[in-house]
Amino acid sequence: MESTLPLWEPSPAFAAETPMRAFMEACETRFGQRFASIDEFHAWSVAERGDFWSAVWDVCGVIGTKGNRALVDEGHMTEARFFPDATLNFAENLLRRTGIDDALIFWGEDKVRSRMSFDALHALVSRLQQAMLAAGIGVGDRVAAMMPNLPETIALMLAATSIGAIWSSCSPDFGEQGIIDRFGQIEPKLFIACDGYWYNGKRQDVADKVVAVAARLGAPLLVVPYCGDAPALSARIPTAQTLEQAIAPFTARAVTFTPLPFSHPVFILFSSGTTGVPKCIVHGAGGTLLQLIKEHRFHCSAREGEKVFYFTTCGWMMWNWLAAGLASGETLCLYDGSPFHPSGSILFDYAQEEGFSIFGTSAKYIDAVRKAGLRPSETHDLSQLRLITSTGSPLSPESFSFVYEGIKPDVQLASISGGTDIVSCFVLGNPLKPVWRGEIQGPGLGLAVDVWDEEGRPVRGEKGELVCTKAFPSMPVMFWNDPEGAKYRAAYFERFDNIWCHGDFAEWTAHGGLIIHGRSDATLNPGGVRIGTAEIYNQVEQMEEVAEALCIGQEWEDDVRVVLFVRLAAGVTLTEELEKAIRARIRTGASPRHVPARIVAVADIPRTKSGKIVELAVREVVHGRPVKNKEALANPEALALYEKLEVLSR
């Protein structure tokens, strides 16, 4: 029987000391309001978004010139402009703290540990900034990095954004084509790569891949040392330099910051590439900064000097989220590698040794800890840990319970959800609300989040589309190479006119929280990592044994696993050797995350009359759900091939 009690709730003393409560009271005083509850405060933040975001700017001490207007053209989402007269610099707001305290702490599995003070971070950013300026990098130029989650990666991002360049990154486990599909579109003026990385205790060589990508991008290469081979790698390319070579001519001085318009691009993130090459999502500096400061300061109660950790790679937007913690004076705890090497306890060892206040990870990791039989509550001192956040995929009710039974009984657990599209969260934790099993605590302040049915009507207590009905600052400023905005509008505003449709199935709960039931499109989401089917097809369909393929995400054990269906060439059968070859091709050409859990040979693949394969229809059949609009298919009889497959029941 489901408990009628919350798993956690803030005590009156705890609530009174939260930055959220202080901010709510500041808004009451400033705007002559009286909020009887946090829900009333949220409603006001949506109704008066100009006042609300202006208060975020002021209370959080954003460095810049705000201007007189907070919001104009608010009648249409794609035309709304926040702070159109403002100027600021993203990096300046992240580099506001100085001193000898730790800014960045790093663990690379059990191989590497390092610490970098705020003063040392400033010094490195200064030298990198001078090197970039000397290389001719300036406002609007793109800097692309294939990097582990190192302190140097943070410094490189800050150096690039300090001069108005646009930062984009991915993790080093991406294959050559996966990197080109992303960075090739944005034509970077500088390509940054590591000399290798550690995973599961083994050194992963990237030299040949880096050389090939650098040649195809045609950009100068900067090699960052991690595994000790930077000089050898840089020597293979005439235009390459190691990090030390690049900064050697420069001495540290005060970092200079280029003031830029509020919506000047700061990051380019990439969609999953479900229907082709990934879309290049461009995020503005001001909107990203305001949204992430709000989440850190108020929703996460982050305070200066606290140690904040998120298990993420540089190819996931949670890396950008974590980096923004510097704007609140946090110490960022970085980790790169397997979370289970040399044992499943390493992240909890890290949390204990450094005294994390915030521990962020994926739902899949929490489930893996549970299934491994680990009990950190019995083996580790997590007394300073007050908040655990989980994202990437919905956190199961069982995992909610496990956090309190097996990790820490008095911690606030915040399941959060948003994504690459908004480089932040639509729904997340709230320190003034209870935590209920299986539920996200509520919507983000200033965000008009709702759940709509297919007819565009708000629904309660049933599943629907997660939408946002009013403009918000961290909407993308554009897609790259989309001059008329057609791709941008199609991505979010095609379903409902002038309404952001996020592509998640969601449900309001009786407690005013939300449940995310997964994606409502064809994007795959194994282990909480969004990946696209097109990236898999681009690899496997180049194999002569495979005529064509179709890929879906199958709901499996509180997660999603990738299932690949292949129609083989004439005379070819799906042997164990061919399965290994397919997996190897996908692993090296796309990434290890793209490798399917199951490969199934089929005689035919259903498609529309215009020739497009229908992933969603196959997904519905695999899950035993009815398929709508079969009349749109050229070969609807092919769907029967996917019904009740024994191989997908285990």
Side-chain angles (χ1 to χ4, degrees):
M1 183 176 177
E2 192 70 26
S3 173
T4 57
L5 298 175
L7 294 170
W8 174 91
E9 57 185 330
S11 68
F14 176 94
E17 294 298 319
T18 61
M20 177 76 85
R21 174 62 61 80
F23 181 51
M24 186 164 67
E25 293 172 352
C27 288
E28 288 180 328
T29 301
R30 177 169 173 172
F31 300 107
Q33 298 290 322
R34 179 70 182 95
F35 306 118
S37 67
I38 184 62
D39 291 331
E40 281 193 13
F41 184 44
H42 178 267
W44 172 84
S45 75
V46 169
E48 303 295 340
R49 286 167 298 139
D51 286 346
F52 169 77
W53 289 108
S54 183
V56 172
W57 180 303
D58 294 340
V59 171
C60 294
V62 170
I63 301 169
T65 302
K66 187 167 68 168
N68 294 322
R69 299 180 295 173
L71 175 60
V72 297
D73 296 326
E74 58 180 289
H76 201 285
M77 289 190 76
T78 57
E79 296 173 0
R81 296 292 178 266
F82 288 87
F83 302 98
D85 311 311
T87 59
L88 55 77
N89 184 278
F90 186 82
E92 184 174 13
N93 280 275
L94 270 62
L95 285 169
R96 64 175 69 195
R97 189 176 172 194
T98 59
I100 61 173
D101 291 335
D102 291 325
L104 307 172
I105 300 171
F106 173 70
W107 283 25
E109 293 192 344
D110 58 343
K111 307 296 184 183
V112 180
R113 293 191 186 185
S114 67
R115 312 177 85 85
M116 185 179 293
S117 71
F118 286 95
D119 284 349
L121 177 60
H122 276 258
L124 180 55
V125 171
S126 171
R127 298 175 74 192
L128 288 168
Q129 179 192 70
Q130 294 174 68
M132 288 183 185
L133 290 171
I137 297 170
V139 174
D141 289 332
R142 277 77 63 205
V143 174
M146 185 201 84
M147 285 289 292
N149 186 16
L150 304 176
E152 290 84 354
T153 314
I154 298 282
L156 283 156
M157 179 274 288
L158 292 169
T161 57
S162 71
I163 58 180
I166 309 170
W167 175 265
S168 192
S169 60
C170 73
S171 55
D173 61 347
F174 272 79
E176 177 184 337
Q177 191 58 46
I179 299 168
I180 292 297
D181 285 347
R182 288 161 173 78
F183 295 160
Q185 296 186 72
I186 64 175
E187 301 174 298
K189 200 162 184 177
L190 176 65
F191 175 48
I192 303 166
C194 58
D195 61 355
Y197 64 98
W198 300 100
Y199 196 84
N200 207 26
K202 298 177 181 178
R203 184 189 177 282
Q204 308 294 319
D205 181 58
V206 298
D208 290 344
K209 178 169 63 179
V210 169
V211 170
V213 170
R216 293 178 68 180
L217 290 177
L221 172 66
L222 180 65
V223 182
V224 178
Y226 184 32
C227 293
D229 293 333
L233 175 53
S234 64
R236 294 177 60 179
I237 301 177
T239 60
Q241 285 185 300
T242 65
L243 181 68
E244 284 305 313
Q245 289 172 332
I247 66 175
F250 308 102
T251 56
R253 63 190 187 195
V255 181
T256 59
F257 301 102
T258 303
L260 298 157
F262 185 84
S263 294
H264 178 77
V266 65
F267 296 138
I268 298 178
L269 278 64
F270 300 96
S271 71
S272 57
T274 302
T275 56
V277 294
K279 298 181 182 69
C280 308
I281 305 172
V282 184
H283 288 290
T288 300
L289 179 68
L290 280 185
Q291 176 78 320
L292 294 185
I293 283 182
K294 178 204 75 177
E295 293 186 358
H296 279 263
R297 288 277 293 274
F298 304 134
H299 286 277
C300 295
S301 300
R303 298 168 175 87
E304 182 174 303
E306 285 194 320
K307 291 177 179 176
V308 178
F309 168 81
Y310 223 104
F311 178 62
T312 180
T313 71
C314 297
W316 192 21
M317 53 76 50
M318 291 311 300
W319 180 84
N320 307 76
W321 187 96
L322 177 62
L326 290 172
S328 299
E330 302 162 23
T331 294
L332 307 188
C333 296
L334 313 177
Y335 182 87
D336 196 81
S338 168
F340 287 94
H341 182 83
S343 76
S345 295
I346 187 166
L347 297 188
F348 295 106
D349 295 344
Y350 193 3
Q352 173 179 281
E353 187 166 324
E354 295 296 344
F356 292 176
S357 294
I358 300 173
F359 185 114
T361 187
S362 67
K364 182 63 177 176
Y365 173 77
I366 292 174
D367 189 52
V369 170
R370 177 176 67 89
K371 290 178 178 177
L374 300 176
R375 305 280 295 186
S377 61
E378 300 171 4
T379 57
H380 289 75
D381 176 7
L382 303 177
S383 56
Q384 295 186 61
L385 182 62
R386 58 172 180 76
L387 175 65
I388 293 176
T389 64
S390 166
T391 191
S393 59
L395 187 66
S396 69
E398 292 78 14
S399 289
F400 267 79
S401 296
F402 170 72
V403 166
Y404 287 92
E405 295 164 1
I407 299 180
K408 196 166 193 280
D410 61 348
V411 75
Q412 180 192 353
L413 172 59
S415 180
I416 67 179
S417 183
T420 300
D421 314 87
I422 63 170
V423 71
S424 56
C425 303
F426 274 127
V427 291
L428 69 168
N430 192 311
L432 300 185
K433 303 187 79 170
V435 174
W436 295 92
R437 188 174 186 265
E439 300 182 19
I440 297 173
Q441 286 179 280
L445 291 175
L447 300 178
V449 173
D450 208 349
V451 178
W452 283 14
D453 65 15
E454 293 184 1
E455 284 71 46
R457 297 171 301 200
V459 293
R460 293 292 184 273
E462 63 181 80
K463 298 176 186 178
E465 291 283 349
L466 183 72
V467 299
C468 193
T469 61
K470 295 183 179 181
F472 53 96
S474 64
M475 292 167 59
V477 296
M478 61 179 177
F479 284 179
W480 199 257
N481 295 325
D482 182 30
E484 303 300 320
K487 294 179 182 178
Y488 178 36
R489 290 190 297 273
Y492 310 115
F493 300 101
E494 209 168 56
R495 181 72 183 275
F496 304 116
D497 182 46
N498 196 30
I499 298 295
W500 179 290
C501 185
H502 197 54
D504 277 342
F505 268 127
E507 179 182 358
W508 287 108
T509 72
H511 306 117
L514 290 105
I515 299 172
I516 303 293
H517 293 284
R519 295 292 297 170
S520 57
D521 58 17
T523 301
L524 306 177
N525 203 27
V529 179
R530 293 181 62 191
I531 63 175
T533 54
E535 295 179 289
I536 295 176
Y537 303 150
N538 288 343
Q539 300 303 319
V540 72
E541 291 185 351
Q542 294 180 42
M543 301 178 67
E544 61 181 18
E545 298 92 341
V546 178
E548 60 180 344
L550 182 147
C551 204
I552 67 163
Q554 181 191 13
E555 297 164 9
W556 188 256
E557 295 183 347
D558 295 324
D559 194 13
V560 173
R561 67 178 180 181
V562 178
V563 177
L564 176 66
F565 298 98
V566 291
R567 183 172 68 82
L568 299 171
V572 176
T573 57
L574 186 61
T575 62
E576 185 176 342
E577 289 73 21
L578 180 54
E579 283 202 41
K580 288 181 179 178
I582 290 171
R583 288 191 167 95
R585 179 62 181 259
I586 294 170
R587 180 182 299 276
T588 57
S591 87
R593 298 183 181 89
H594 293 72
V595 176
R598 293 285 185 270
I599 302 176
V600 184
V602 289
D604 197 9
I605 288 180
R607 61 189 65 253
T608 65
K609 291 181 172 66
S610 62
K612 295 180 180 179
I613 62 174
V614 286
E615 299 155 319
L616 294 180
V618 169
R619 189 181 71 183
E620 296 305 281
V621 170
V622 165
H623 290 103
R625 299 191 286 256
V627 176
K628 301 176 182 178
N629 300 322
K630 287 185 180 180
E631 63 275 10
L633 301 182
N635 55 340
E637 68 280 358
L639 289 174
L641 300 172
Y642 299 82
E643 294 178 353
K644 300 178 181 178
L645 294 174
E646 194 274 335
V647 69
L648 299 186
S649 65
R650 50 182 167 83

